[in-house]
Amino acid sequence: MSTGLIITLIVAAVVVLAIALFLVRRGGGPHSVKRRFGPEYERTVAQHNGDAKAAERELRERLQRHGELRTKPLTAQEREEYEAQWAAVQERFVDAPVEAVASADRLLSRLAGARGFPGDGYDEQVSALSVHHPRRVQGYREVHAVAVLAREGQADTERLREALVHARALYEDLMERSAHDSHGGGPRHEHDRDRTHADGTGSRGHGRLSERLHLPGALRRHDTSGGRA
């Protein structure tokens, strides 16, 4: 093999490596976007009627706007207050499910703001959350939408319960300790969080939410839809 050919192959390899590194650092390529956003990617593609390129452009725009966001740690007092507020939401559901879901919607907004996510509008806050919590943000959308429907009498108690169960997943993520929190503990691995959310346990051991909100007779007592939903 001639020296010229060897040099050409080396240069070509360096160029390919440089391009690959550039794409990785920019989060380029459809596979990297899909991998990062997971179910949020599929949801965005569906919103664009199956146009994957349009969906990827939107997701990259979100990354550009919110990718550098660094979450703020919660103080010990803030953490205790949010834990108490979420426990109160769960307890309130038994007697006032509509009010409980509305409270959960507001609580998630305040908690996200406390962690450093934009607080100047629901849409922008959800956009930022979708970048950093793409596998949990749908729970926020659901509880927000169902809270609106419930005020109009268009959501039955089972739908309210499901929305609150899904919202809890984002609540748990936002309550996770970061590496910057002053009280240690460090962030748990994603598979640990998944196991926690799957069995419904979480902060302060409030128990399995799906069971707590499925008390006998609760669904019959609080059907707010009039059979419409």
Side-chain angles (χ1 to χ4, degrees), residues 42-216:
E42 303 298 340
R43 177 185 178 277
T44 308
V45 170
Q47 280 192 318
H48 286 277
N49 298 315
D51 188 340
K53 290 184 178 180
E56 289 157 16
R57 281 196 300 271
E58 178 182 332
L59 294 174
R60 288 196 181 96
E61 288 173 0
R62 293 190 210 172
L63 276 171
Q64 189 173 16
R65 292 203 311 273
H66 305 297
E68 298 301 316
L69 184 149
R70 294 293 177 265
T71 58
K72 300 176 182 177
L74 296 174
T75 66
Q77 181 177 349
E78 286 176 325
R79 188 174 295 280
E80 290 181 1
E81 288 174 354
Y82 282 116
E83 287 175 346
Q85 289 171 29
W86 187 263
V89 165
Q90 295 181 173
E91 296 297 337
R92 191 178 188 187
F93 185 91
V94 177
D95 295 314
V98 174
E99 290 81 357
V101 167
S103 295
D105 180 30
R106 294 191 296 268
L107 189 156
L108 284 178
S109 178
R110 293 195 304 272
L111 177 55
R115 295 309 306 260
F117 291 92
D120 53 353
Y122 166 78
D123 290 336
E124 192 66 9
Q125 192 173 64
V126 168
S127 178
L129 285 166
S130 74
V131 172
H132 297 272
H133 299 276
R135 290 166 178 77
R136 313 296 187 198
V137 68
Q138 186 60 22
Y140 187 14
R141 291 193 184 102
E142 289 180 20
V143 82
H144 184 79
V146 170
V148 174
L149 291 173
R151 288 197 297 268
E152 301 171 353
Q154 298 181 24
D156 62 19
T157 305
E158 175 60 15
R159 189 170 182 182
L160 291 164
R161 185 192 68 81
E162 290 177 354
L164 194 55
V165 169
H166 295 158
R168 182 187 176 97
L170 179 60
Y171 163 80
E172 292 285 358
D173 262 19
L174 291 172
M175 289 292 286
E176 286 294 326
R177 295 187 186 277
S178 73
H180 303 291
D181 283 358
S182 58
H183 293 283
R188 284 182 290 171
H189 294 293
E190 178 125 334
H191 69 271
D192 292 329
R193 294 199 301 269
D194 288 341
R195 185 170 61 248
T196 297
H197 295 143
D199 67 14
T201 59
S203 300
R204 298 299 178 91
H206 291 313
R208 297 184 64 178
L209 181 60
S210 58
E211 291 182 0
R212 291 166 65 85
L213 300 184
H214 224 329
L215 299 176

